[in-house]
Amino acid sequence: MEVDRDNFYWMLPHILDEMQNAQFVAIDIEMSGIASGYCHKTPIPDAYTKIKEASERYQILQIGFTFIRYLEKPNGYTTRTISCYVSPLFPSGYFTESLSRHLDRQFSISARSYSFLRRHGFNFSKAVDNGVYYLNRKEQKIAEEFCSFKGPKHEHIDPLSLDQESQQWYSDTSKQIGEYVNKCAQVSTKERYEPSLETIIQNPYGRDINGLQTRLIHQIIHEEYPTCNAKRIPSGHMAGSFSVTVMTRAFTTQTKNRILANVNETKRLSGLQILFEALSGGSFAEKVDQQWVCHSDRASVGNDTWNEFNRKFNFHQCEANLKKNRPIIIGHNAFQDLAFIYQTFFEPLPPKVDDFLTSIHQLFPCIIDTKFMHTRRKHMMDQDRSLKYLDDYFANHKFPPIRHLSNLGDITTGPHDAAYDSVMTANVFLRGACYMASTKKHLDEVEEACYAPPKSQGASGDRDDAPSSHPTTAPRGWDPANPFTILDEEEAEVVGALKDYEVLSPDDTFSLEAAPLASPTIPSPPTTTNELEWRKVETATRSRQPVPEWTDDFWRVYGNKTLIPGAGVVSFV
């Protein structure tokens, strides 16, 4: 089943349940364009500016989440993956179409990205036409203000700045509405609430009220006669004119109901943002109506259990659980992905990279970038470690055991699908972290260049009190002068010491291999002497420990750091 705009809320309780029970969440996104124009030795602030511009110009088209849960028995991990297409459009309807005009969200696509994604089978129609809606935090605030039947507050137009005809029309219209209001005040209470009492505003220069006249009518009512309401007459011999009425009790009730409906529609439009609000430990339960996740038409054979789960799901308890324990975020080449996620689902990106690093760390106190993990202190002539290469590299490793459960969303059969890539990221993270921690190479004392935000960021930027953040450590990062790469180092003495080591038999009920993700078009990684020796060490299984705890020294080196290709290593703390 594919997670789209039609079944998103039907799937939401199960997605949130996976999230609140996960220790790690691997995330990957596909975008309509990426940053370009920076190269080797580009300063970090300049590289951030390029990424910020791309995040503002292009859109997220697809998101893949892989939820990772540790099982003490048989000392392994389970993963479950969802795939969500993302649409920048708004649903049809008077309120949402008016809101879309007010927000004026831009959609653009890079020709290079279009060709690349099409070459890898990406379905743009699914993303744009059937993707899940969303409103970021800023858009939600604007939408809440927009819910009032009065509509958005426009800048005041001075009638004296208009031409003579407009000034005369403005004066006549204001006078006409004033006389109507006085007449309503003079009649009896019973007559006052007769719906037939209205005044019609017409355009003496044409059949329909034009755009400027519409603005001026609303301005007159807002500033001079707030007890009135104006609406365009849609049909009949007066179609195109405006009807102005004094708000009756019935109309007031109708207006309140309409505002309430608009508020609910705004909450429903939050869509995918709910997932990121949950991941960041934010408040989301009030945005979800329990009725949205329960559908009688879906409670057919095979769906009744699912429907019952949705009906009983406690969003407030889930919110409390995630506020207390946020899962650790895993990404591959994560900096640009995080920038797009921040721009799309939270707030406009700040102008300065330091402010972005502070803000993203407050949202996600624990971040792991597998790209940085496997390129730390790598020299420039070394082979690229792409996500597919690393996934192939770890495919034959037996530890830790990984069992991929049935997925909550459809996953296509190749790289550069967000869900597929999130599975590969999870595999590379689990297998790589376990091996790398067992080598103890993170205990070296070599300090490396790493860009980090200033420690003093004021009350809102103080990261030292983040409950989930590990203690800060000396900056470590990429040193082009040092050829050491942890994947390639030969450890002959360790291999020799482990020649007679017997590999433990895995639990028969648990799959030791990741779900088959190999693509026949991608060749197997080269088996150099270094890599064969490394695999001997892995096969011998020097340590049966799972992924280190976040408080372990291992994450002092590899946690909360990411690599910006061509620019360098960045620390979030």
Side-chain angles (χ1 to χ4, degrees):
M1 183 184 292
E2 206 165 68
V3 181
D4 54 32
R5 69 180 59 165
D6 295 326
N7 64 14
F8 173 74
Y9 282 100
W10 172 249
M11 303 284 290
L12 182 60
H14 288 263
I15 298 173
L16 291 174
D17 187 58
E18 287 294 327
M19 187 183 298
Q20 69 178 340
N21 288 294
Q23 283 78 43
F24 310 97
V25 179
I27 301 175
D28 188 83
I29 64 175
E30 299 298 334
M31 302 90 87
S32 63
I34 60 175
S36 60
Y38 61 91
C39 55
H40 177 55
K41 292 187 177 181
T42 298
I44 295 293
D46 293 348
Y48 170 74
T49 298
K50 294 290 185 181
I51 293 172
K52 175 178 178 291
E53 291 172 352
S55 302
E56 294 168 342
R57 181 178 182 182
Y58 302 117
Q59 285 72 40
I60 295 177
L61 298 175
Q62 186 192 24
I63 307 174
F65 299 92
T66 293
F67 302 102
I68 306 169
R69 189 187 307 188
Y70 173 65
L71 296 181
E72 189 173 349
K73 293 183 180 181
N75 194 29
Y77 294 87
T78 63
T79 69
R80 197 185 296 273
T81 300
I82 68 167
S83 172
C84 297
Y85 284 101
V86 186
S87 175
L89 306 182
F90 291 85
S92 59
Y94 178 78
F95 170 72
T96 51
E97 289 178 358
S98 298
L99 178 62
S100 68
R101 288 195 298 270
H102 189 60
L103 294 176
D104 194 24
R105 184 183 286 169
Q106 303 295 311
F107 177 77
S108 58
I109 186 167
S110 159
R112 183 180 67 168
S113 294
Y114 180 84
S115 298
F116 177 84
L117 291 174
R118 284 297 300 268
R119 190 163 64 249
H120 288 88
F122 187 83
N123 191 325
F124 284 88
S125 178
K126 281 186 177 180
V128 177
D129 298 331
N130 208 34
V132 184
Y133 300 120
Y134 67 90
L135 291 176
N136 64 31
R137 287 179 176 177
K138 180 179 179 181
E139 290 171 335
Q140 288 175 31
K141 293 177 183 178
I142 295 174
E144 289 168 1
E145 296 174 356
F146 194 81
C147 284
S148 170
F149 76 98
K150 291 292 185 180
K153 295 181 180 179
H154 294 289
E155 183 180 352
H156 174 81
I157 298 176
D158 184 359
L160 297 179
S161 65
L162 305 175
D163 58 29
Q164 189 63 39
E165 290 79 8
S166 299
Q167 292 182 41
Q168 185 63 48
W169 183 88
Y170 187 93
S171 176
D172 293 342
T173 300
S174 178
K175 180 180 178 181
Q176 178 182 343
I177 297 174
E179 292 175 348
Y180 161 72
V181 171
N182 291 333
K183 177 182 177 182
C184 290
Q186 295 171 3
V187 300
S188 66
T189 302
K190 180 178 179 181
E191 291 176 324
R192 181 179 178 179
Y193 291 107
E194 285 292 330
S196 59
L197 288 177
E198 64 178 353
T199 185
I200 304 298
I201 308 298
Q202 296 178 284
N203 183 359
Y205 305 102
R207 181 172 180 270
D208 296 342
I209 294 290
N210 64 31
L212 174 61
Q213 290 170 325
T214 300
R215 281 279 305 275
L216 294 175
I217 290 172
H218 285 294
Q219 177 173 302
I220 293 170
I221 289 176
H222 177 73
E223 296 179 358
E224 302 178 39
Y225 307 104
T227 60
C228 291
N229 176 67
K231 63 180 180 179
R232 186 181 294 273
I233 301 174
S235 60
H237 69 284
M238 298 300 293
S241 301
F242 263 70
S243 169
V244 176
T245 58
V246 171
M247 290 186 285
T248 65
R249 292 189 182 96
F251 182 83
T252 301
T253 301
Q254 181 184 14
T255 300
K256 290 181 179 179
N257 291 337
R258 186 190 313 140
I259 292 174
L260 180 61
N262 291 345
V263 170
N264 288 334
E265 183 65 17
T266 296
K267 292 180 179 179
R268 191 177 180 89
L269 280 175
S270 297
L272 273 176
Q273 199 273 340
I274 294 172
L275 298 184
F276 284 96
E277 201 68 64
L279 275 175
S280 65
S283 301
F284 63 88
E286 291 296 333
K287 298 178 183 178
V288 183
D289 190 326
Q290 202 81 28
Q291 294 180 354
W292 299 344
V293 303
C294 299
H295 305 291
S296 58
D297 59 328
R298 291 186 182 272
S300 55
V301 177
N303 283 333
D304 51 348
T305 302
W306 190 293
N307 203 57
E308 186 64 19
F309 178 88
N310 286 4
R311 184 178 292 107
K312 294 181 178 180
F313 188 78
N314 191 329
F315 288 94
H316 289 279
Q317 184 59 53
C318 179
E319 178 184 297
N321 293 341
L322 286 165
K323 283 180 179 290
K324 184 178 180 181
N325 293 303
R326 278 174 273 185
I328 295 172
I329 303 300
I330 314 297
H332 188 82
N333 205 8
F335 188 89
Q336 185 160 228
D337 286 4
L338 290 171
F340 268 82
I341 287 170
Y342 190 91
Q343 173 74 25
T344 303
F345 299 110
F346 292 101
E347 303 279 353
L349 284 165
K352 298 182 179 179
V353 63
D354 291 348
D355 294 330
F356 168 69
L357 294 173
T358 299
S359 298
I360 206 71
H361 181 65
Q362 290 174 338
L363 293 170
F364 308 117
C366 306
I367 299 171
I368 298 170
D369 187 345
T370 54
K371 179 78 169 181
F372 169 70
M373 286 178 61
H374 294 291
T375 53
R376 175 177 177 260
R377 298 170 60 191
K378 169 187 171 184
H379 64 79
M380 295 180 181
M381 294 295 100
D382 205 346
Q383 179 173 335
D384 286 337
R385 302 284 175 171
S386 68
L387 180 58
K388 185 66 177 72
Y389 175 90
L390 291 169
D391 185 61
D392 286 341
Y393 199 88
F394 284 106
N396 296 325
H397 301 155
K398 305 297 183 182
F399 185 78
I402 304 172
R403 182 185 180 189
H404 292 292
L405 304 177
S406 59
N407 299 305
L408 296 178
D410 181 58
I411 300 177
T412 58
T413 56
H416 306 296
D417 171 88
Y420 187 98
D421 287 355
S422 73
V423 175
M424 291 197 294
T425 300
N427 293 339
V428 170
F429 161 67
L430 291 171
R431 296 270 164 82
C434 286
Y435 171 75
M436 293 167 70
S438 71
T439 67
K440 305 296 183 182
K441 291 302 178 182
H442 58 281
L443 298 179
D444 64 68
E445 297 298 328
V446 178
E447 293 190 6
E448 299 164 319
C450 181
Y451 185 94
K455 293 295 181 183
S456 177
Q457 292 288 336
S460 62
D462 188 1
R463 299 173 306 283
D464 296 334
D465 59 353
S468 300
S469 176
H470 61 68
T472 56
T473 184
R476 300 169 186 267
W478 176 41
D479 182 5
N482 193 324
F484 172 81
T485 304
I486 193 137
L487 287 178
D488 293 330
E489 184 183 23
E490 293 186 83
E491 299 187 58
E493 71 281 7
V494 179
V495 174
L498 294 173
K499 282 183 178 179
D500 299 326
Y501 190 88
E502 294 183 0
V503 179
L504 297 177
S505 298
D507 188 318
D508 292 337
T509 64
F510 205 87
S511 171
L512 289 175
E513 297 300 326
L517 292 174
S519 171
T521 61
I522 304 297
S524 299
T527 54
T528 63
T529 302
N530 287 357
E531 295 180 64
L532 288 173
E533 292 296 331
W534 186 88
R535 288 183 178 182
K536 289 179 183 178
V537 177
E538 166 60 313
T539 304
T541 314
R542 75 176 58 185
S543 172
R544 282 297 175 186
Q545 63 187 19
V547 173
E549 295 289 335
W550 184 252
T551 53
D552 192 276
D553 285 342
F554 181 79
W555 297 118
R556 290 176 179 266
V557 176
Y558 292 106
N560 280 333
K561 293 186 180 72
T562 185
L563 176 69
I564 304 179
V569 174
V570 173
S571 173
F572 294 103
V573 294

